[in-house]
Amino acid sequence: MHLHVRTPRRNKSLCDRYTNLLRATTEALSAVIGGCDQLTIEPFGFDEHLALNIQRILREETHLDTVADPAGGSYYIETLTDSIARAAWKLFQQVEAEGGYAKALASGSIEKALAAPRAARDKAMSSRRRVLVGVNNYPD
């Protein structure tokens, strides 16, 4: 499997480019630790050369590419990975029971499964129950 990771744009602020830069850095580091093969850092409010520099710093100064598994042996990360894998497998089995991805997509069950968590997340963000520093709380 080839894993291409792209930093998200939905958690970025139009007003606080420095917070965006910090978020992109931690997201990129997480992707590298997670074992991505290819990484795209989306500049959002900061210059494109800074996005490239994040990749250069991670490659040339952290040396995470020289370690087989940078997160290996971390009880917390291993436990988290296991719980995510188990939940993903249950979802995979549900889609398979519906006749596969194409049928599940056509029936609308995938959109239905995504709609409730999306609405809950959006409501929590808009009411500030879920805080994203620099976006919905403490903006610059």
Side-chain angles (χ1 to χ4, degrees):
M1 177 173 71
H2 181 80
L3 189 60
H4 177 192
V5 177
R6 181 188 325 251
T7 57
R9 298 175 71 95
R10 72 182 172 122
N11 65 345
K12 304 299 188 288
S13 169
L14 292 172
C15 303
D16 198 347
R17 62 185 177 166
Y18 300 114
T19 299
N20 294 344
L21 184 61
L22 290 171
R23 275 203 181 97
T25 302
T26 58
E27 292 161 355
L29 179 63
S30 298
V32 171
I33 290 172
C36 75
D37 298 301
Q38 187 175 4
L39 175 64
T40 301
I41 298 174
E42 296 279 344
F44 192 90
F46 56 88
D47 293 334
E48 194 171 312
H49 78 277
L50 292 174
L52 289 172
N53 285 345
I54 292 171
Q55 291 180 333
R56 289 180 183 129
I57 289 169
L58 289 178
R59 182 181 59 240
E60 296 176 17
E61 301 209 8
T62 64
H63 304 290
L64 290 173
D65 60 337
T66 61
V67 180
D69 184 6
S74 168
Y75 174 78
Y76 176 73
I77 292 177
E78 296 291 338
T79 302
L80 213 73
T81 302
D82 185 61
S83 68
I84 291 170
R86 288 179 190 277
W89 182 246
K90 286 180 186 176
L91 291 173
F92 180 81
Q93 288 175 320
Q94 288 173 358
V95 170
E96 192 177 57
E98 291 181 42
Y101 179 77
K103 287 184 180 179
L105 189 64
S107 73
S109 66
I110 291 177
E111 181 59 36
K112 184 179 175 184
L114 295 174
R118 183 182 300 133
R121 182 184 60 237
D122 290 347
K123 184 178 179 186
M125 293 284 290
S126 64
S127 65
R128 292 187 178 170
R129 281 184 292 135
R130 181 173 180 189
V131 173
L132 240 124
V133 173
V135 177
N136 69 346
N137 210 10
Y138 313 115
D140 189 11

